[in-house]
Short mmCIF file of all heavy atoms in Angstrom, two decimals:
data_model
loop_
_atom_site.label_atom_id
_atom_site.label_comp_id
_atom_site.label_asym_id
_atom_site.label_seq_id
_atom_site.Cartn_x
_atom_site.Cartn_y
_atom_site.Cartn_z
N LYS A 124 118.90 93.14 60.51
CA LYS A 124 117.73 92.26 60.46
C LYS A 124 118.04 90.84 60.93
O LYS A 124 117.12 90.04 61.11
CB LYS A 124 117.18 92.21 59.03
CG LYS A 124 116.48 93.50 58.58
CD LYS A 124 115.85 93.30 57.21
CE LYS A 124 115.09 94.56 56.77
NZ LYS A 124 114.45 94.37 55.43
N HIS A 460 108.24 49.62 63.02
CA HIS A 460 107.00 48.91 63.30
C HIS A 460 107.25 47.41 63.23
O HIS A 460 108.11 46.95 62.47
CB HIS A 460 105.92 49.30 62.28
CG HIS A 460 105.62 50.76 62.23
ND1 HIS A 460 106.45 51.68 61.63
CD2 HIS A 460 104.57 51.46 62.73
CE1 HIS A 460 105.93 52.89 61.75
NE2 HIS A 460 104.80 52.79 62.41
N LYS A 463 103.73 41.95 61.09
CA LYS A 463 102.95 40.84 61.63
C LYS A 463 103.48 39.51 61.07
O LYS A 463 103.88 39.43 59.91
CB LYS A 463 101.48 41.03 61.29
CG LYS A 463 100.85 42.20 62.04
CD LYS A 463 99.35 42.31 61.84
CE LYS A 463 98.78 43.41 62.74
NZ LYS A 463 97.31 43.55 62.60
#
Side-chain angles (χ1 to χ4, degrees):
K124 289 185 177 181
H460 302 76
K463 291 187 174 181

